[in-house]
Amino acid sequence: MTSPVMAGSYGTIVYPGESVFIGESGLDVSAALIDGWGNPNSYISYYASGGTPGVTAPSDTVTVPDLTNFYVSPGTFTGKTGAWYVGITSNVAFYVQEASLSVSLFNNQSGKDISNLKAIQDDHIAIRINSNLDSLFARNASGGTAGIDAYVETPDGATLSALYRNSTTRDMDAVYLSAIKPDNTIFWIPYGNMATVWKLDPDNYKTGTYKVYAQCNVNDMKDNLGVVTGVTQSEIETLTVEEDYVAITATKESVIKEDDFTVTITGTPKTLYTVWLSGTNGYSNTTDCPPKFLQNQDDVSSMTQTALDALYYMSETTVGQDIPYAAGGTTNEWAVVAKTGSDGTITVGLTTDSNTKTGKYTVRAEKWLSYTQLDYEIYDTVDIKVTEEGAGPTISLNPGWNFISTPKRLQNGNNTAGKIFGDIDSGGHSALMYNASSKKWDTVKADTEVKPLEGIWIYNNDANSAEVSMKYDSNPLQTPPSEDLQSGWNAVGFSSLTPATAKDTLVDVSGKWTKAIGWDSEEQMYETAIISGGSGIYSDTRDMNPAKAYWIWMKEDGTIAALS
């Protein structure tokens, strides 16, 4: 991949002591080849190490037939760089050099060299030319205005000779990459100082890998030498542009009350993210409150209630409206601002104490844009369960309807609906079980036994998710549960603590079942059906999951046994 570079000239008149480069042609060296008596000379001499100009015999001499049209021929001057002298005198005519040329790409916000690495959309990029050609452009500007030309090749193969450094002014702020004349061996496009020349605005520059390189055809250098990597053309540097993103993970899915835990935010290096306990506005700020952020953490700053009330994370909702209220301008312990390191990550600590309410919590991280605005599109969440010490496994009930089951047989005395769901605000909705024999709904009463393989519909009227504890029966001297399924629809609970494919889960009724449909309680909608023998999104290799129940369509009666 080489773009044609039209030959142009610069500094074609060479004066004594200036530098010329192998491959240049059309040079007027008559001013440089004046002997000590003021007369033009038609030959030059070269002295190897140890020789004394004007005293010892030269190592080589070259006749210049036309002083106004000199060619720095590679056949003549390769391996003989350095000073060349007028005739056999000690007067320097010019210095011969071999060109060197490379480019480097930098993130102008972090100052980091990102050549052949990745960048994020909206990053600001600086481009540096590294060469010894500054001595060529130090010659007088005779002959023309040519310079080094840089290029950016897009993922689609188009070659750009200009870049936008501002997404708003566009053409008024385009940076042209042609005729660059470095005045130093390290030169930042366009004027020498490190500056943004390329803003990776997603409206102008799509994601993918870009190629960046520079060429020099000043005074026919590339035409004469061809494409010589590192000489007439730089190595090609790449930059892979990716969409901006943030991810948040937790060290543990469940934490025992009065223990600490951490979350790790991964995003753009040296970038601010607001992190908070989302969906906890209805909680107390004294007792039965959410986990709190630890204070005095490196690169983590607390926020006042006043600041949070002005900080929008959705178009009409502030962070302050999404967490417990802290009076006046005091620090709110349920939100912080965290700054990622040069590796794009930061770990933030949280704590629970005796006043922490047990349950499931959502920690949200969203990119900070200003004191009043977060980036609606760049966020992530992670869920954490807080449980009492010694509590058994829990089932999460999201706001609205939940279609659940116990994955294992429950302990006697802790196996009734009243014992398990008694504290749930159902908003007047009865818990229900579907009777596949009568094709009718049965109301779940307080003394109804909750069994494996049986699905239960239960409503959570709270605005937040609720956790219900389960205590499993540890007695090994009993047969695993089983359930008779009827032709038609059956509400069947998944019977393992470990996910399993639908094909494996329903192996006992293989050939008899056709569809399995789960319920997404977070979205309050049915999931895509799993089809026996299906493919793609309907494949029966999709997992069925613990604590969930499914509608199973049976072509004929059958019996299913528990997986555990």
Side-chain angles (χ1 to χ4, degrees), residues 360-372:
K360 185 175 78 171
Y361 294 93
T362 299
V363 185
R364 181 176 178 126
E366 192 160 319
K367 187 176 181 180
W368 191 90
L369 295 179
S370 70
Y371 289 107
T372 60

Side-chain angles (χ1 to χ4, degrees), residues 154-202:
T154 71
D156 295 328
T159 301
L160 310 178
S161 57
L163 297 168
Y164 294 123
R165 60 182 166 191
N166 191 305
S167 57
T168 55
T169 55
R170 288 182 62 86
D171 290 341
M172 293 166 45
D173 209 12
V175 177
Y176 293 92
L177 305 179
S178 58
I180 301 162
K181 301 175 182 63
D183 59 9
N184 202 301
T185 54
I186 294 177
F187 184 84
W188 299 95
I189 299 174
Y191 302 123
N193 296 320
M194 187 175 185
T196 297
V197 296
W198 185 13
K199 184 184 179 188
L200 301 179
D201 185 333

Side-chain angles (χ1 to χ4, degrees), residues 529-550:
I530 299 172
I531 297 177
S532 177
S535 60
I537 61 172
Y538 303 104
S539 173
D540 57 12
T541 59
R542 282 170 48 202
D543 280 344
M544 300 176 77
N545 293 293
K548 294 188 65 170
Y550 296 81

Side-chain angles (χ1 to χ4, degrees), residues 388-406:
E388 296 281 0
E389 187 171 7
T394 61
I395 294 177
S396 295
L397 300 181
N398 287 309
W401 282 108
N402 296 264
F403 192 20
I404 64 168
S405 71
T406 174

Side-chain angles (χ1 to χ4, degrees), residues 236-364:
I236 295 172
E237 306 295 333
T238 63
L239 185 66
T240 300
V241 179
E242 298 181 342
E243 289 183 354
D244 200 353
Y245 78 101
V246 63
I248 183 170
T249 57
T251 50
K252 54 184 79 172
E253 293 182 359
S254 180
V255 59
I256 296 172
K257 188 173 176 177
E258 300 194 49
D259 282 353
D260 295 343
F261 64 96
T262 63
V263 294
T264 297
I265 294 96
T266 302
T268 306
K270 304 290 186 180
T271 299
L272 296 175
Y273 295 90
T274 299
V275 190
W276 73 97
L277 275 297
S278 183
T280 59
N281 177 256
Y283 285 66
S284 166
N285 61 10
T286 53
T287 59
D288 286 337
C289 56
K292 301 175 181 179
F293 288 94
L294 292 167
Q295 299 300 301
N296 303 315
Q297 302 180 66
D298 289 342
D299 293 319
V300 178
S301 302
S302 58
M303 302 186 71
T304 65
Q305 184 67 44
T306 302
L308 292 164
D309 286 340
L311 184 59
Y312 285 83
Y313 77 97
M314 293 194 297
S315 59
E316 298 180 354
T317 309
T318 67
V319 176
Q321 294 171 318
D322 197 36
I323 55 179
Y325 181 76
T330 59
T331 296
N332 189 303
E333 298 177 281
W334 296 282
V336 294
V337 175
K339 184 178 181 180
T340 54
S342 58
D343 63 351
T345 69
I346 185 169
T347 297
V348 180
L350 296 97
T351 186
T352 64
D353 56 28
S354 60
N355 291 319
T356 304
K357 183 178 180 179
T358 58
K360 185 175 78 171
Y361 294 93
T362 299
V363 185
R364 181 176 178 126

